[in-house]
Amino acid sequence: MNPTTIANNPALVVGAIFLGFILLELACGCFRQAKGQWRDVAIEVIGSSLLLGLTFPLVFFLCDALLEHWAPQARGALSGVPWLAGFGLLLLGDDLTQYWWHRLSHRVPWLYALHRAHHSAPYMSIRIVYRNNSFYYLLMPGIWLSAVLVYLGLAEVYYVYLIIKMTVIFGAHSSLPWDDRLYRIRALRPLMWLLERTISTPATHSAHHGQNAADGVTHYKGNFGNLLFFWDVLFGTAKITRRRPQAFGVENLRPVSWQHELFWPLVRRRQPAKVVAPGALGDGGGQ
């Protein structure tokens, strides 16, 4: 299978790396989470399956078909650009736009309603990487722009870019804190200082998923970066503590059904009311 075929089916690449991290967590005994419920399993299995099996292939198919109809002469127009330039275009078109999409999702109520499932999990794990509403990725600009850049001739670059990005993102969400041991090695301190300001790590990204804002680590209004944490450094939303929160989730989030989290606004179903603290978050507000 050539790079063009793979790039036009990114789910193949993403799925393979995803499976690798699942097997790693299983081998380490940390894939099954003690705090998880069957609703969490449903959200994670259905959400991940929809992205990899439907959304990703659909977006790339539609972009290819529409551009072939409207701009056939543009196919491969960027195939001659230097490799690093193509990689830079993907960083801007995919990763930078995803940073802003993620940041807006924590500011705009209806976008947060599409993203809240990602934060309602009471744990960090490879399981939650694609734990989002079914419309969250369909509307994400970066996926569409990536498909456009592949059409324009960056298929081979995208193949490498996708492997790097998914490895970093999966590693940042994983329950295995790979950065923790590296921080303890004195000789690596300069490298880790640079690394944690460049890419997302378990420490910086777990802070974004922390439950308690007063714990000194949690930073759910920042640390939005996916591949590059540098965007947070650049735009002033970074917090680096080299520690992980003691609890994950969202404080005082009004409970809703797993169908609501996956398919809002088509499904609107709250769970039985629970006693929450004053000022509890509504369906679309919050972290």
Side-chain angles (χ1 to χ4, degrees), residues 251-263:
E251 287 182 295
N252 303 326
L253 185 65
R254 180 177 297 162
V256 298
S257 68
W258 65 267
Q259 296 95 329
H260 182 119
E261 287 204 326
L262 274 176
F263 301 110

Side-chain angles (χ1 to χ4, degrees), residues 100-109 111-112 115 118-119 136 208 220-222 224 285-287:
W100 284 105
W101 175 255
H102 189 187
R103 184 170 175 175
L104 286 173
S105 296
H106 284 258
R107 299 292 191 273
V108 181
L111 281 179
Y112 186 75
H115 185 54
H118 191 65
H119 286 274
Y136 181 77
H208 178 68
Y220 46 69
K221 294 187 182 298
F224 299 115
Q287 304 163 8

